[in-house]
Amino acid sequence: MKEKIAFEIEQALQRAFKKGELPSSDFPYPEIEVPKIASHGDFSTNIAMVIASSQRISPQNIARIIIENIKDSDGLFSRVEVAGPGFINFFINDSWWFSVLREIHEQGPAFGISKQKKRKKVQVEFVSANPTGPLHVGHGRCAALGDSLAAILDATGYEVQKEYYINDSGRQIHTLGLSVLLRYKELFGKKIDFPDDCYQGDYIIVLAKKLAQREKRRYLEMPEEDAIPLCAKFAAREILSGIREDLELFGVSFDQWFHEQGLFDSGAVDETISELRRRKLVYEHDGALWFRSTAFGDEKDRVIVRSNGETTYFASDIAYHRHKLKRNFDQIINIWGADHHGYVSRIQASIEALGYPRDRVRVVLVQLVNLLRNGRPAAMSTRAGEFITLREIIDEVGKDAARFLLLMHHSDSPLDFDLEAAKQQNNNNPVYYVQYVHARISSIMRKAKEQGISTEDLVETPHDDVLTQPEEMQLIKCMARYPDMLAQSALLMEPHRVPFYLMELASLFHAYYNKHRVLTGDAELSRARLYLVSAVRKIIRNGLQLIGVSAPEVM
RNA sequence: GCGCCCAUAGCUCAGUGGAAAGAGCGCCGGACUACGAAUCCGUAGGUCGCAGGUUCAAAUCCUGCUGGGCGCACCA
């Protein structure tokens, strides 16, 4: 619809220029927006004000000239007017709005889904938590965001690949192995000294018990340097499979699980260092190898090989991104916790160093989650290793509520997640407000069937002169915005727009429901209204699907 | 000290350079003998942190300041 209006304006501008009514043919693409106030029309444009200075004509006069030159051969507009400082407001004929309704029914789940043929390849990497402990609510926020962003990108015409990067090598995995080994020894009555920098959580003891059951006393006789890697491997695999289970319960899936260790095994890390060497972007200093990231805007150079010969985490991360870049994605999106923001400039420096445009990789930073219970901070002591896991949250408040609430806010703002509030099944909880729409409409559909009203052939029902209530037009106009909302959400990488939109549509529906009956004594009216509300149900279902929330028929 | 993010109604938060800044919660008052009251209707509530600047137009862009979160390793 916006494109169509923009096209009409462009045509009008050209016509006016040819007739000599406008002196310059330098026209930017007309921005079309939906005004906040209904009396300002269904759509409006500021084009007259934008070009006023280059045309040397007052905005109001330009607006008048444009309006006079609009042909509107399709009869789209019922009224076009100049308003305020030079806005052009468009009022759309009702029959065009009804065509939106028809589209929703014909396209079903595909409504608002971009049909472009050339699908750009996008990769979204998210969660990527180290397999050294269970997921917590912060990971949950990243998981909800990444999964939904991927779904939204898919819906707007991208080919999306979802990936989880597993840091299964390096020091922390060694520490994990040591932690488990010590707890294992403890189980056999050995006196141990458990260091502060080992993983403190009880889950380590659980793993040690499992290990003891499986291996008996075997690791006791082994030298530590042999036992630690074995313990580490065992523990990492166990933890990772727990992470996968949790994510599955959370409705989050990945196309690929990428192991850091593979980058070493395949020689990719060495190759990457060689390439940087070839490009003369590394140098030795104090026995270490440094990447000259300051050449690409980083604030200081970074070590990639330590003086003891070990590569840093950064080295394998560059190798990982090099690997991603070679997989030919048009866009690579990393979703990181905000505590990693200091990492962004150095990773982008490495992208440029490898000869790619730095914006090939975009990083979405997700601010932290404050977990609360009745407004008070919930136990969250990482030092003692005692924290509420994502799994516990899913068990307590449910997947749907957790996902909706974690996704509701802009990723830039920190989020308070209150367990008690999330559990409430009332009007404090927006997820049920939206789901209730779906259940209500489903209930109406069941009722209609009971009354012998067919809900199958609604498409054929004429409705233009039957759906005359203002609330009905509001619902249709709101639904017509769905594709645009999706596009915005994808462009700005902001999934929170989806739940907000759904709450708005839900609100319009509930108001309509309370004011008007769908099933009336008038069969034709009933069928027309069923046609309307079943379209609402489709949009609600589509939207909920994008954010991984179920659309229940009964609640 | 340096860097990134945030600051909008009592609270939690939306807001695409546009017209008069919005919603939910909370407060108060109301609505079911009809499709599900997990709903709806109504009232009140604002120096958009402060000060400059850009622009025909700024909550939105730029600069400075104040307050808060996070980060500044040959850790990951």
Side-chain angles (χ1 to χ4, degrees):
Chain A
M1 190 76 95
K2 281 189 181 179
E3 289 77 18
K4 196 158 172 52
I5 294 168
F7 178 76
E8 290 285 349
I9 292 166
E10 281 185 316
Q11 295 291 304
L13 286 167
Q14 292 300 335
R15 229 171 273 134
F17 174 68
K18 278 181 194 146
K19 281 156 65 180
E21 294 171 1
L22 293 175
S24 161
S25 66
D26 182 24
F27 304 129
Y29 187 79
E31 297 282 337
I32 310 294
E33 63 170 17
V34 178
K36 286 175 209 157
I37 301 158
S39 63
H40 291 159
D42 295 314
F43 296 95
S44 77
T45 181
N46 60 359
I47 187 74
M49 289 176 284
V50 173
I51 63 173
S53 61
S54 67
Q55 298 288 346
R56 298 177 173 282
I57 301 178
S58 78
Q60 282 96 343
N61 283 331
I62 293 177
R64 250 171 250 127
I65 291 168
I66 292 171
I67 291 174
E68 280 160 19
N69 282 286
I70 286 177
K71 260 195 182 154
D72 189 25
S73 42
D74 294 333
L76 184 61
F77 308 125
S78 62
R79 189 151 52 95
V80 183
E81 61 187 26
V82 184
F87 290 101
I88 304 174
N89 295 340
F90 300 89
F91 295 81
I92 307 296
N93 267 321
D94 284 358
S95 59
W96 276 89
W97 289 116
F98 287 115
S99 71
V100 171
L101 212 49
R102 191 160 50 244
E103 252 180 78
I104 295 168
H105 277 285
E106 283 167 3
Q107 297 181 16
F111 178 70
I113 306 263
S114 168
K115 297 165 275 264
Q116 48 179 281
K117 291 202 180 94
K118 206 179 111 218
R119 284 166 69 85
K120 283 194 172 174
K121 279 181 67 179
V122 181
Q123 187 207 43
V124 185
E125 182 220 317
F126 59 107
V127 187
S128 298
N130 300 335
T132 54
L135 299 178
H136 54 70
V137 68
H139 297 124
R141 188 177 188 187
C142 289
L145 189 98
D147 191 58
S148 295
L149 180 58
I152 291 163
L153 288 169
D154 179 63
T156 47
Y158 294 89
E159 184 184 329
V160 187
Q161 196 238 7
K162 295 187 281 183
E163 186 156 305
Y164 187 117
Y165 179 60
I166 307 157
N167 294 116
D168 55 357
S169 114
R171 172 129 70 184
Q172 54 177 346
I173 288 295
H174 182 270
T175 304
L176 174 69
L178 176 62
S179 307
V180 171
L181 182 64
L182 290 172
R183 291 301 189 201
Y184 165 89
K185 287 184 169 175
E186 197 173 38
L187 289 173
F188 288 101
K190 304 263 183 206
K191 264 196 102 129
I192 57 150
D193 181 25
F194 201 78
D196 282 350
D197 61 353
C198 275
Y199 295 100
Q200 307 288 326
D202 288 345
Y203 64 95
I204 296 292
I205 298 171
V206 173
L207 287 171
K209 280 183 183 157
K210 202 163 177 181
L211 186 67
Q213 211 166 32
R214 182 183 299 185
E215 301 292 341
K216 310 296 181 216
R217 305 181 66 88
R218 205 159 69 85
Y219 289 179
L220 286 177
E221 289 113 41
M222 210 178 270
E224 275 205 352
E225 58 266 34
D226 292 339
I228 288 172
L230 292 170
C231 290
K233 202 173 171 187
F234 164 79
R237 195 161 37 208
E238 288 288 322
I239 292 170
L240 192 60
S241 85
I243 287 174
R244 294 172 93 128
E245 273 173 34
D246 293 354
L247 288 169
E248 202 169 313
L249 269 177
F250 204 43
V252 174
S253 64
F254 289 89
D255 301 306
Q256 188 164 348
W257 298 73
F258 194 100
H259 289 262
E260 178 186 12
Q261 186 59 46
L263 294 167
F264 290 99
D265 299 344
S266 68
V269 176
D270 290 339
E271 276 173 35
T272 303
I273 293 169
S274 307
E275 179 170 349
L276 291 175
R277 217 186 273 279
R278 247 195 335 272
R279 290 174 180 265
K280 304 209 184 312
L281 294 171
V282 293
Y283 60 92
E284 296 203 19
H285 179 70
D286 290 342
L289 191 67
W290 296 71
F291 165 50
R292 203 183 297 280
S293 54
T294 48
F296 305 98
D298 197 9
E299 57 188 11
K300 72 189 281 288
D301 290 342
R302 309 288 174 177
V303 170
I304 54 176
V305 184
R306 292 190 273 164
S307 52
N308 67 3
E310 285 176 30
T311 56
T312 60
Y313 173 83
F314 185 41
S316 37
D317 221 17
I318 299 174
Y320 176 45
H321 281 85
R322 180 167 172 269
H323 191 277
K324 287 190 186 188
L325 291 163
K326 285 182 181 296
R327 283 190 268 165
N328 286 322
F329 293 109
D330 297 293
Q331 181 74 72
I332 293 164
I333 299 171
N334 293 340
I335 293 173
W336 290 351
D339 51 338
H340 290 79
H341 76 255
Y343 219 75
V344 176
S345 55
R346 84 187 66 163
I347 207 71
Q348 284 185 326
S350 76
I351 304 304
E352 244 183 305
L354 293 170
Y356 295 86
R358 69 163 40 212
D359 64 358
R360 179 70 54 87
V361 174
R362 290 174 70 184
V363 181
V364 178
L365 293 173
V366 183
Q367 295 294 323
L368 305 183
V369 182
N370 297 311
L371 197 59
L372 308 173
R373 190 179 286 285
N374 287 320
R376 298 211 173 127
M380 219 33 185
S381 162
T382 25
R383 185 165 160 68
E386 282 171 19
F387 52 85
I388 296 172
T389 63
L390 177 63
R391 177 61 175 268
E392 288 166 326
I393 292 168
I394 298 170
D395 290 344
E396 187 172 341
V397 312
K399 176 204 73 160
D400 287 342
R403 281 195 71 153
F404 198 98
L405 295 171
L406 286 172
L407 215 59
M408 246 177 68
H409 300 303
H410 195 290
S411 52
D412 268 350
S413 59
L415 179 108
D416 289 334
F417 188 96
D418 194 302
L419 287 160
E420 295 304 321
K423 262 196 297 194
Q424 290 183 45
Q425 303 201 356
N426 56 25
N427 50 3
N428 289 328
N429 207 332
V431 63
Y432 300 115
Y433 184 79
V434 174
Q435 285 183 319
Y436 190 44
V437 172
H438 194 270
R440 258 187 163 171
I441 297 172
S442 300
S443 172
I444 296 172
M445 305 292 273
R446 286 191 295 269
K447 200 68 142 196
K449 251 179 206 162
E450 278 171 29
Q451 295 181 5
I453 303 170
S454 165
T455 52
E456 303 304 322
D457 58 345
L458 292 171
V459 180
E460 307 304 325
T461 311
H463 40 255
D464 298 37
D465 48 358
V466 183
L467 297 176
T468 53
Q469 299 295 333
E471 290 82 4
E472 291 166 340
M473 200 49 79
Q474 280 178 0
L475 275 171
I476 294 172
K477 287 179 180 178
C478 183
M479 289 191 282
R481 279 184 14 235
Y482 180 78
D484 205 48
M485 180 279 299
L486 271 192
Q488 275 302 310
S489 190
L491 180 71
L492 301 171
M493 303 193 291
E494 293 178 346
H496 73 276
R497 289 164 184 276
V498 176
F500 267 90
Y501 169 84
L502 290 174
M503 286 187 280
E504 189 186 340
L505 180 59
S507 164
L508 288 174
F509 172 78
H510 285 312
Y512 174 63
Y513 178 91
N514 273 277
K515 193 163 174 189
H516 304 285
R517 284 186 58 83
V518 174
L519 302 176
T520 63
D522 180 339
E524 191 193 359
L525 180 61
S526 301
R527 285 162 59 85
R529 287 186 173 171
L530 279 169
Y531 188 70
L532 173 71
V533 301
S534 59
V536 172
R537 189 171 67 152
K538 281 179 182 168
I539 299 284
I540 294 280
R541 190 189 294 151
N542 291 358
L544 286 175
Q545 167 133 33
L546 290 176
I547 57 174
V549 175
S550 69
E553 309 258 328
V554 273
M555 289 173 66

